[in-house]
Amino acid sequence: MSRCADSRGSTPGMSPGRASGGVADAAYRPTRPLRCTSVRGSRNPARVRRVPDCDGPRGTRMTTADGSPPRHAVVVGAGLAGITAALQLADAGVRVTLLEGRPRLGGLAFSFRRGDLTVDNGQHVYLRCCTAYQWFLDRVDGAALAPVQDRLDVPVLDVGGPRGPRLGRLRRNGLPVPLHLAAGLAAYPHLSLAERASVGRAALALRRLDPADPALDGIDFATWLGRHGQSARTIEALWDLVGVATLNAAAPHASMGLAAMVFKTGLLSEPGAADIGWARVPLGDLHDTLARKALDSAGVRTVLRARVGAVTRTEGGGWQVDTDGERLDADTVVLAVPQREAHGLLPPGALDDPDRLLDIGSAPILNIHVVYDRRVLRRPFFAALGSPVQWVFDRTEASGLGEGQYLALSQSAAAGEIDTPVQELRARYLPELERLLPATRGAEVRDFFVTRERTATFAPAPGVGRLRPAARTRAAGLFLAGAWTATGWPATMEGAVRSGFSAAGAALAQLGRRHEHPLQEAA
C-alpha cells in the first residue's frame, strides 16, 4: 500500500504514518502569516495595500513591517515534504518560491487520468496516530475527504488453509492499551491458541523498547521476532501482514528500530492509534489541487516543470538556485527531493559524508488495477493470506467509474515483480482474485493495468538509521527534507510531512524567526 505511511511520497506500501511515543490526535491551525506592505509607486499611506509576504503583483515592491525586504526561501521539490516546508515558512512570514520538476504537486502520492477514470498511482492510507499528516489535511482543508474509520477493523481472508477460504478480522475495542486488541486477537482464526499467546508476550516486550535505540537499528525484525517466540506462521499472518504494508519490507529485511516504531506507535500507544484513514477522493484532489490552493493563499510562488540544475553559495553568503528557466537568489534553500537527487545538488562540505545518501537504498511498490463490469467486493478493503495478493481496495467511487467496480491491489516489497510484464501479471493475479472473490468468476474484466513505483520508498534495511541525515546541513541556510531524512519514521506520508516541519523549523531558527512546532508532542 502506498504509505502514510508513502508516503509512498514520499509515500507509498500501506501508508500508515508512524509517530513516536503516545501521540495525541491534536488538530493544529498555524498562526496567520506575517504581512508586508505593497507599495504601488506612491508614498500616500492610503494607497498602501496589505498583502501576504510574497512576490507582489506586477511592479510591486515588497517590504516587511520595518521596511526591509523579506527573507526569501527556495524549496526544491513539491512532494508532501516540500509543500509542508513551504507552508510553514510562508506562515512565518518568509517569501517562498516552491520549485517542482513535474507538472503537478504531490510527489509519489498523485493521481492521473486513464480514459474516464481518475487513478491514484498507488493506494495510500494513514493511521490515526499520523498527526502530522492530519495537520497537512487540515491545513489544505482536505480532512473531511480522507476520514478515519471509527475503530480499527481489517478483514483478513486466508485462502491457503486446508479447510478452504476463511475470513478473520484484526480489530480493536474501546478498552485501554493493550486490552484494546486482546479480544480481537483471541478471536483471530488465522493463528493457533499458542501463537496468539506468543503474540501477546512479544507485544509486551515491544512496549519496553525505545525505537530510537541505535542497537535496534542494527538488527532485523525477523531476528527479534524469532528471539521472542514468533513462529513463521505468526510472522506471515500478523507481523508481516502489517509490517510489509507499512515498512515496504518483509521482517528479515526490515530494521528492528523502524519496526518497533510502527508497532509500538500504531498498536501500543493509544487505543485508536491504528484506526485507518484513506482518501475518498483522488489523491490529486488533496496533494495537488487543494495543496496548490493553500500555497497560493499563503503567498507561495509555485513553479512547475522547473528542474533545478545547481544550488551554489554566493559571495555574500546567500544562495543561488539555477533552473532551466531562471536563476533565483535566496537566503534559505530546502532540498525536498529524493536522496540521490539531493546528493547531486549538495555543494561541497554540506555533509560530512554525502556519499552516505547513495547508500540509502530504495524499495519498489507494484500496483495492479482491475476494472470489472459488476460489483465483486462489498467491503472497502481487505488483506489476503495464502495468496500473492496483499491488500485489495475498492476505488470505484473515488475514480469516477460509472458502472462496474474498480479494485486496486497494493503489492509492497515487490522487487521480484516490479519489472514483470503486464500480461504475466494478468495471468497471475486474475486467477488469484477469483480464489479470493468468487463473484469475479463470472465477471468481465473491462480493464487491467499496472503502475510501478521502482523507488517508492527508501529501503528500511538494518543500519539505515545511521545513513539518514538531519534536516540541518553544515552549510548555513541549506536544509534537507524528505521521508528519507532522520525523522525516526519509515517512508510514509507521515514521515514526509514531519521532515517538512523539521526543515522549516531549522530554517526559521537560523533566520531568527519565532516558530512553534505544529505538533507539540513531537517538538
Side-chain angles (χ1 to χ4, degrees):
M1 232 167 290
S2 305
R3 318 209 174 299
C4 142
D6 101 97
S7 338
R8 290 168 197 257
S10 255
T11 84
M14 189 178 203
S15 297
R18 333 353 150 199
S20 57
V23 180
D25 290 331
Y28 168 79
R29 275 289 183 187
T31 56
R32 293 181 62 84
L34 300 179
R35 317 299 277 186
C36 65
T37 57
S38 170
V39 184
R40 297 181 178 276
S42 170
R43 297 187 182 280
N44 183 350
R47 299 185 63 188
V48 174
R49 185 168 63 92
R50 303 293 286 182
V51 299
D53 185 9
C54 60
D55 284 345
R58 291 180 296 277
T60 300
R61 178 167 58 86
M62 306 300 295
T63 61
T64 58
D66 63 2
S68 62
R71 297 299 187 99
H72 183 212
V74 172
V75 179
V76 182
L80 297 185
I83 294 170
T84 300
L87 287 171
Q88 287 280 283
L89 290 164
D91 287 348
V94 177
R95 182 167 65 94
V96 180
T97 300
L98 177 61
L99 304 175
E100 171 54 53
R102 299 180 179 91
R104 53 161 178 78
L105 308 180
L108 291 180
F110 67 94
S111 304
F112 62 92
R113 294 289 294 178
R114 180 181 173 90
D116 294 333
L117 294 182
T118 302
V119 177
D120 289 348
N121 69 309
Q123 178 62 49
H124 293 63
V125 307
Y126 70 100
L127 303 183
R128 196 183 296 275
C129 64
C130 297
T131 51
Y133 184 64
Q134 289 181 74
W135 172 91
F136 179 91
L137 290 175
D138 188 56
R139 181 64 178 79
V140 303
D141 292 328
L145 302 177
V148 179
Q149 61 186 179
D150 292 336
R151 288 187 179 180
L152 173 69
D153 189 354
V154 179
V156 182
L157 180 59
D158 183 8
V159 292
R163 291 180 291 179
R166 192 174 188 187
L167 181 67
R169 306 181 87 91
L170 289 173
R171 49 187 170 182
R172 73 167 180 93
N173 56 34
L175 295 176
V177 175
L179 299 178
H180 67 309
L181 295 174
L185 183 61
Y188 189 55
H190 305 320
L191 296 177
S192 69
L193 180 61
E195 287 168 334
R196 283 177 249 162
S198 75
V199 168
R201 292 191 294 271
L204 292 175
L206 264 174
R207 291 192 75 188
R208 297 191 290 268
L209 297 179
D210 176 6
D213 183 351
L216 295 181
D217 182 54
I219 64 172
D220 65 83
F221 188 29
T223 295
W224 188 92
L225 290 172
R227 291 173 181 171
H228 289 80
Q230 303 304 286
S231 67
R233 173 60 178 177
T234 306
I235 294 174
E236 175 198 9
L238 181 65
W239 300 107
D240 265 355
L241 186 77
V242 176
V244 169
T246 53
L247 295 164
N248 201 18
H253 308 293
S255 158
M256 181 57 208
L258 291 175
M261 168 62 77
V262 168
F263 286 95
K264 184 172 181 179
T265 302
L267 297 179
L268 300 171
S269 61
E270 301 281 344
D275 299 343
I276 298 174
W278 66 94
R280 302 326 197 253
V281 298
L283 285 173
D285 288 8
L286 301 173
H287 301 160
D288 187 3
T289 304
L290 289 180
R292 181 62 182 269
K293 183 179 178 181
L295 290 163
D296 289 347
S297 296
V300 175
R301 177 189 174 222
T302 303
V303 186
L304 303 178
R305 296 184 175 90
R307 298 200 174 276
V308 174
V311 176
T312 54
R313 175 75 84 180
T314 65
E315 291 185 2
W319 292 95
Q320 184 173 281
V321 180
D322 291 318
T323 75
D324 44 12
E326 65 180 320
R327 173 170 290 174
L328 298 169
D329 292 320
D331 302 286
T332 294
V333 174
V334 176
L335 296 181
V337 293
Q339 59 267 31
R340 288 187 173 273
E341 188 175 343
H343 178 271
L345 293 174
L346 284 173
L351 294 179
D352 287 333
D353 185 2
D355 288 347
R356 281 190 173 189
L357 300 190
L358 302 179
D359 293 334
I360 301 174
S362 60
I365 292 173
L366 177 71
N367 296 277
I368 296 169
H369 309 261
V370 189
V371 179
Y372 291 98
D373 68 340
R374 68 194 68 175
R375 190 174 184 84
V376 297
L377 174 64
R378 299 195 179 279
R379 305 176 187 276
F381 68 91
F382 71 93
L385 296 174
S387 168
V389 173
Q390 295 177 15
W391 291 75
V392 180
F393 283 81
D394 177 9
R395 298 300 298 169
T396 307
E397 184 176 354
S399 70
L401 181 67
E403 295 181 356
Q405 189 168 30
Y406 165 25
L407 302 183
L409 283 62
S410 183
Q411 303 292 114
S412 301
E417 291 186 315
I418 194 64
D419 293 316
T420 300
V422 173
Q423 287 306 313
E424 289 186 28
L425 293 171
R426 182 185 178 108
R428 180 178 305 162
Y429 281 95
L430 288 182
E432 287 298 323
L433 285 172
E434 290 184 1
R435 291 177 66 207
L436 292 161
L437 301 172
T440 63
R441 294 169 190 168
E444 175 191 346
V445 177
R446 289 182 170 172
D447 198 4
F448 182 101
F449 59 100
V450 175
T451 52
R452 311 171 197 263
E453 293 294 344
R454 291 177 173 81
T455 57
T457 70
F458 73 83
V464 72
R466 64 180 179 81
L467 303 176
R468 300 170 71 183
R472 189 187 298 267
T473 72
R474 292 173 57 87
L478 181 66
F479 305 90
L480 301 176
W484 53 274
T485 60
T487 66
W489 286 69
T492 61
M493 297 189 295
E494 176 74 4
V497 174
R498 285 177 178 255
S499 77
F501 288 160
S502 296
L508 291 170
Q510 203 164 90
L511 290 172
R513 295 292 180 97
R514 182 177 179 275
H515 173 65
E516 292 184 2
H517 196 292
L519 306 179
Q520 292 303 315
E521 52 83 16

